[in-house]
Amino acid sequence: MSPRITLADVAERAGVSRTAASLILNGRENTRLSVDARRRVFEAAEALNYRPNLMARGLRMDKSATIGFVSDRIASTRYAGPMIRGALRAARERDHTLFVTETEGDLREQELAIEALLDRQVDALILATVTGTIMMPERQLPVPLVVLNGSAGPGEYRSILPDEENGGRQAARHLIDLGHRRVHILGTSEPEYWTVPVQRRIESLLSEFSRAGVEVVQVALDRPVWDFETGLDTASRAVEEHGPVTAVVALNDTLAAGAYEGFRQEGLMIPDDVSIVSFDDDDIVSVLRPQLTTVALPFEAMGRRAVEIALDVQAAAAGEHLEQMHLRHRDSTRRAITP
């Protein structure tokens, strides 16, 4: 490996003192250094491919240009791609590096990860969760902390969540505007299994349908798992136990994929016999035919906003910050056929 280029090397090539080179490269204003000296220093740094010693700079400026990203299971789920991509892009735009760690939901591992990142002098921490709830550190941290995809509860912390209430209203309003007046909701379970986002999603759907006078049949899950098999079984049971409806809301896209097969086994065609709208805009929608109408979760925007707030915490009030969800209208819904 080539020896590391130092600030002294840049100063020598530019013909200035080390102090002058440091002032110029760190953007110090109101110095008596000439325009020509500045030009020579920047040209020397570029020619030598100079990379500053960030650890040394961090010690001098009390900043390390790094952010710690601690997740429970985000990094090993389908949420990882867009959420971490948004955080990475926002960090890069602000000349920061993102350190990503995974705890698999173990509280002790979370504590160790936080302490390890603090030992590396990160400028801020992001706690990301797939469950909607997270255990907060017991002690006051020396750096800003933002909770991503979960609620931090009362206190001085900031949290980033999808606007599930608005997302539920969009899904319900879409079916109402298409003339549907009897709807199944697939994916409900006992309230003790509801995370905060799930609760808001379901309550928003029920409220919007109620205001419009739509009859809602909730089909409870045999087990609180939103997977393909649950969607298939629940859709078939919905038809057998509750009779025909003209539309269905599935609480996520994987349930919807199972419902496609369940309804087909019952002899129902989508969207001719039954319209389906869902939530997430997961990768699975690309293989479904007809393509699924769904309300997209704004994971990339949430990851980006978490970094923005973490690095400028004073600009954001404590509490929840909601990211807008958007309905992706595709081919699985159509206007209700009235007799």
Side-chain angles (χ1 to χ4, degrees), residues 14-70:
V16 300
S17 69
R18 188 179 182 281
T19 299
S22 176
L23 291 172
I24 291 169
L25 291 174
N26 284 304
R28 290 286 295 275
E29 303 291 341
N30 302 319
T31 66
R32 296 183 179 181
L33 296 166
S34 68
V35 172
D36 182 61
R38 292 176 182 276
R39 176 187 58 77
R40 296 200 312 272
V41 167
F42 284 121
E43 287 180 352
E46 183 176 0
L48 295 172
N49 194 26
Y50 170 67
R51 295 175 58 207
N53 186 327
L54 294 180
M55 183 62 72
R57 177 183 290 182
L59 291 173
R60 292 194 306 271
M61 303 177 63
D62 198 27
K63 294 288 182 181
S64 66
T66 59
I67 303 168
F69 186 106
V70 181

Side-chain angles (χ1 to χ4, degrees), residues 131-133 150-151 161 164 194-201 320:
T131 64
T133 57
S151 178
L161 286 162
E164 294 282 3
W194 293 358
T195 63
V196 171
V198 168
Q199 179 179 352
R200 293 175 181 176
R201 183 180 299 184
E320 293 182 357

Side-chain angles (χ1 to χ4, degrees), residues 281-296:
D281 202 24
D282 201 346
D283 290 343
I284 197 172
V285 304
S286 64
V287 301
L288 294 176
R289 295 295 182 274
Q291 290 197 327
L292 179 63
T293 296
T294 187
V295 181

Side-chain angles (χ1 to χ4, degrees), residues 39-279:
R39 176 187 58 77
R40 296 200 312 272
V41 167
F42 284 121
E43 287 180 352
E46 183 176 0
L48 295 172
N49 194 26
Y50 170 67
R51 295 175 58 207
N53 186 327
L54 294 180
M55 183 62 72
R57 177 183 290 182
L59 291 173
R60 292 194 306 271
M61 303 177 63
D62 198 27
K63 294 288 182 181
S64 66
T66 59
I67 303 168
F69 186 106
V70 181
S71 84
D72 52 10
R73 295 182 179 87
I74 291 288
S76 58
T77 69
R78 66 183 187 278
Y79 302 112
M83 195 175 289
I84 295 178
R85 182 168 61 246
L88 283 169
R89 288 176 174 174
R92 190 179 302 122
E93 290 167 6
R94 289 155 181 80
D95 297 321
H96 277 65
T97 298
L98 194 73
F99 293 150
V100 181
T101 65
E102 177 88 19
T103 69
E104 297 183 346
D106 187 305
L107 181 58
R108 177 58 180 160
E109 287 298 319
Q110 176 181 297
E111 294 173 352
L112 291 173
I114 290 173
E115 293 303 323
L117 290 166
L118 291 176
D119 287 344
R120 285 159 177 78
Q121 297 182 311
V122 294
D123 297 334
L125 283 166
I126 296 171
L127 294 187
T129 175
V130 71
T131 64
T133 57
I134 197 164
M135 293 297 295
M136 301 301 296
E138 294 183 357
R139 69 181 180 92
Q140 184 71 35
L141 299 180
V143 298
L145 183 146
V146 174
V147 176
L148 177 55
N149 198 42
S151 178
E156 75 278 15
Y157 294 114
R158 284 80 176 153
S159 58
I160 314 297
L161 286 162
D163 190 349
E164 294 282 3
E165 292 183 13
N166 182 263
R169 281 195 297 272
Q170 289 183 67
R173 196 74 250 170
H174 177 65
L175 295 179
I176 293 166
D177 291 345
L178 289 174
H180 296 280
R181 292 297 178 264
R182 189 168 191 263
V183 175
H184 280 153
I185 296 180
L186 299 182
T188 54
S189 56
E190 295 302 317
E192 61 262 29
Y193 293 108
W194 293 358
T195 63
V196 171
V198 168
Q199 179 179 352
R200 293 175 181 176
R201 183 180 299 184
I202 294 172
E203 290 179 350
S204 179
L205 286 167
L206 294 174
S207 176
E208 197 70 19
F209 283 135
S210 176
R211 278 197 294 270
V214 173
E215 179 186 356
V216 177
V217 179
Q218 295 189 70
V219 185
L221 303 182
D222 291 332
R223 56 195 180 99
V225 180
W226 289 359
D227 60 11
F228 182 91
E229 290 299 323
T230 298
L232 189 159
D233 296 339
T234 305
S236 298
R237 186 160 51 84
V239 174
E240 295 168 359
E241 296 178 3
H242 301 283
V245 296
T246 61
V248 164
V249 179
L251 292 181
N252 79 346
D253 294 336
T254 309
L255 279 171
Y260 268 51
E261 181 60 26
F263 287 133
R264 284 173 179 150
Q265 290 181 8
E266 296 293 333
L268 299 175
M269 298 296 295
I270 301 167
D272 295 344
D273 299 311
V274 58
S275 290
I276 296 185
V277 64
S278 181
F279 292 85

